[in-house]
Amino acid sequence: MKINGWRNYRHCAMPTTPPHILANLNPIKNGDIFKLDGGVFFVLWYEKFDLKYKTPFYAIIKENDFDFSEIHSSRRTIIRKGLKRNEVKVINPVEYITEIYNILLECANDYPSKYRYEITIENVKKICEDYNEWGGYCIASFSKDNNTMNGYCYFKETYDDVYDFDVIKVPDKYNKDKVVYALIYNMVGIIFRKGAKYILAGYTEFSHETNFKQFLVDNFNFRYSYIDLRVKYKLFIKLIVNLIYPFRNITRKLDNIRIFHILNGILKIEYVRRECDKLRK
């Protein structure tokens, strides 16, 4: 069944509302949340946003336009280098399916094996069509040397003037051209010219190891907004998690095996849940 205000992400029910708005909790209370289309094993939601104390669960947000005076001169130089070497513009992704396919393929090959996924031209066509269906903006970077697309990002308004920064893809071979800096600088400008309340650049990572969120904090003055995470499992999942949780240090050593990588993500959720419970008390 479909439930307004909720989505199924890899068998995890999550609110579609931004974190400063309390989700509709009735489907959790009456159990309907586990009937969400696609099958749900557990539910994540949050009841308090922007806490004054640190928790292991957080959102990465930015509440104002980028100001060069806010950052160190060395970082200003890097951003200007990215803007000098690349032209960034809003695109219709359906008109650039082949270019986006090539970028996604190269990015997938850059990832460690446990994160890699299959890329086909049919999948990319569907992704590009979804971008258009969802609305929002797809902006791409093109090298000023040869006009080759060397990266893109996608973001959209979700609710109450909050913009989700969903996707950024730049192959590693373009790092020297500072493509990521050019894309993010342009994205931030576009969003705040639209009158955004804030940009939401994701939450605590449970299974994907990345320094990108810290990169946003260090280079573009995003910040951590600490949140009280709540979790509810289906009964059999709860039993499995409680059984395996004491052995999480062992399973972490097997993280390169895909099934253990997935399991470790769930165990990290359980760790965060327990820590938030302690802090709440």
Side-chain angles (χ1 to χ4, degrees), residues 92-157:
N92 179 348
V94 172
E95 296 176 358
Y96 290 89
I97 290 172
T98 300
E99 291 87 346
I100 291 174
Y101 167 78
N102 290 332
I103 286 171
L104 289 175
L105 188 63
E106 290 186 79
C107 287
N109 290 332
D110 288 337
Y111 294 152
S113 58
K114 61 184 176 183
Y115 298 143
R116 287 178 189 164
Y117 50 89
E118 184 181 7
I119 301 293
T120 67
I121 195 71
E122 291 78 15
N123 290 343
V124 174
K125 182 179 179 182
K126 179 64 167 58
I127 289 170
C128 293
E129 290 171 348
D130 285 345
Y131 286 161
N132 278 353
E133 181 182 342
W134 297 335
Y137 299 86
C138 189
I139 64 173
S141 170
F142 297 83
S143 169
K144 289 185 178 178
D145 289 336
N146 54 27
N147 203 37
T148 299
M149 185 191 289
N150 51 22
Y152 80 94
C153 72
Y154 172 77
F155 52 94
K156 66 181 183 297
E157 183 179 4

Side-chain angles (χ1 to χ4, degrees), residues 16-22 49 156-164 194-199:
T16 58
T17 49
H20 71 282
I21 296 176
L22 182 64
F49 171 69
K156 66 181 183 297
E157 183 179 4
T158 54
Y159 188 85
D160 195 31
D161 294 327
V162 174
Y163 280 73
D164 266 359
K194 297 291 181 181
K197 181 175 289 182
Y198 62 86
I199 301 172

Side-chain angles (χ1 to χ4, degrees), residues 225-239:
S225 176
Y226 296 100
I227 299 172
D228 182 15
L229 180 69
R230 305 294 182 105
V231 183
K232 185 173 184 178
Y233 302 99
K234 257 191 169 178
L235 180 58
F236 79 94
I237 295 293
K238 183 177 181 179
L239 293 173

Side-chain angles (χ1 to χ4, degrees), residues 181-222:
Y181 292 85
L183 283 169
I184 295 172
Y185 177 83
N186 278 273
M187 176 199 70
V188 169
I190 291 171
I191 288 175
F192 284 106
R193 285 195 294 272
K194 297 291 181 181
K197 181 175 289 182
Y198 62 86
I199 301 172
L200 174 62
Y203 299 92
T204 300
E205 294 285 355
F206 291 121
S207 62
H208 191 76
E209 298 168 12
T210 174
N211 294 320
F212 186 67
K213 290 178 174 60
Q214 188 61 49
F215 170 86
L216 292 174
V217 172
D218 291 341
N219 292 278
F220 291 92
N221 279 17
F222 282 68

Side-chain angles (χ1 to χ4, degrees), residues 248-265:
R248 62 194 182 280
N249 289 334
I250 296 174
T251 63
R252 274 200 292 264
K253 295 177 181 177
L254 303 170
D255 197 62
N256 284 329
I257 302 172
R258 185 163 182 78
I259 186 64
F260 284 100
H261 177 66
I262 294 169
L263 178 61
N264 287 333

Side-chain angles (χ1 to χ4, degrees), residues 2-65:
K2 296 186 183 300
I3 300 177
N4 188 38
W6 291 87
R7 67 185 178 102
N8 188 340
Y9 179 71
R10 297 181 180 178
H11 303 293
C12 170
M14 300 179 66
T16 58
T17 49
H20 71 282
I21 296 176
L22 182 64
N24 172 19
L25 301 182
N26 287 330
I28 299 174
K29 295 173 183 177
N30 62 28
D32 282 350
I33 196 67
F34 291 107
K35 301 174 185 176
L36 191 64
D37 285 352
V40 169
F41 295 151
F42 55 99
V43 188
L44 302 184
W45 76 99
Y46 17 81
E47 296 191 1
K48 294 179 181 178
F49 171 69
D50 220 7
L51 296 166
K52 301 303 180 185
Y53 57 88
K54 289 186 177 182
T55 67
F57 188 72
Y58 51 77
I60 298 294
I61 66 172
K62 183 169 178 60
E63 297 156 300
N64 46 52
D65 201 353

